[in-house]
Amino acid sequence: MHQLRRRDRRLARRVPSEPAQLRAFRLTAVGADVVLVGYFSAKQKDFETLMASAARELAARGARVVVQIVQRRDVSAGGVQKMGLPYSSRTLLSYGKVREVAQACGQANADAVIFVASLTERQQRTLTGMLGRPAVSLSDILAAD
């Protein structure tokens, strides 16, 4: 009997809750300065239009886009078969681009980083830790309203 109770408690602790930073950002997105990051393959020619529409969506919700950064997956970095795949399963972007985003966030004193592409929970946690501010996908922001 005692073993079952201990096992039950362990399972209860393993249930991940939403990080406090992400919850706080969702509540205070109005008036926030954000960095907008897009990840696109070289096949997508209309990425500028997608970035502009994402910036308009955020502006309609009260956020100010202070910097826009684009990571494009080119043919030379792995061939045509890999263009739709992320550079890194942990961060979606290449390491150099993550450093560039972190530097832009520091210079612009941004409150959060919004990704046009959808992020997994693991990517959100990793990027939030690396960038020092909440990293969320645009679809999460749109779904919260």
Side-chain angles (χ1 to χ4, degrees):
M1 180 94 169
H2 183 62
Q3 290 291 349
L4 290 176
R5 286 179 38 201
R6 237 167 80 202
R7 186 175 293 153
D8 289 343
R9 275 190 251 139
R10 286 182 191 157
L11 289 176
R13 288 183 191 152
R14 289 183 191 167
V15 176
S17 64
E18 186 177 25
Q21 287 180 327
L22 295 179
R23 275 182 277 149
F25 177 72
R26 285 192 183 138
L27 295 176
T28 62
V30 176
D33 292 335
V34 299
V35 173
L36 182 63
V37 179
Y39 176 81
F40 305 102
S41 75
K43 292 179 183 178
Q44 250 179 325
K45 303 298 183 196
D46 63 340
F47 70 93
E48 292 172 340
T49 307
L50 295 171
M51 289 291 287
S53 68
R56 280 192 304 272
E57 288 288 335
L58 289 170
R61 284 162 176 73
R64 289 183 302 274
V65 177
V66 292
V67 178
Q68 291 186 17
I69 298 176
V70 174
Q71 169 88 60
R72 299 214 48 213
R73 181 77 187 239
D74 204 0
V75 176
S76 63
V80 176
Q81 305 90 326
K82 295 184 178 180
M83 279 199 312
L85 300 175
Y87 273 108
S88 168
S89 62
R90 288 183 61 231
T91 61
L92 184 70
L93 307 172
S94 65
Y95 181 70
K97 192 58 76 170
V98 172
R99 285 188 308 192
E100 183 181 331
V101 171
Q103 184 179 20
C105 288
Q107 289 175 347
N109 198 20
D111 299 317
V113 181
I114 309 294
F115 284 80
V116 175
S118 60
L119 299 174
T120 64
E121 289 181 27
R122 179 181 181 205
Q123 290 169 339
Q124 285 181 346
R125 284 192 310 270
T126 302
L127 287 166
T128 297
M130 292 176 79
L131 300 173
R133 51 197 36 87
V136 295
S137 62
L138 182 63
S139 59
D140 291 341
I141 299 292
L142 299 177
D145 288 343

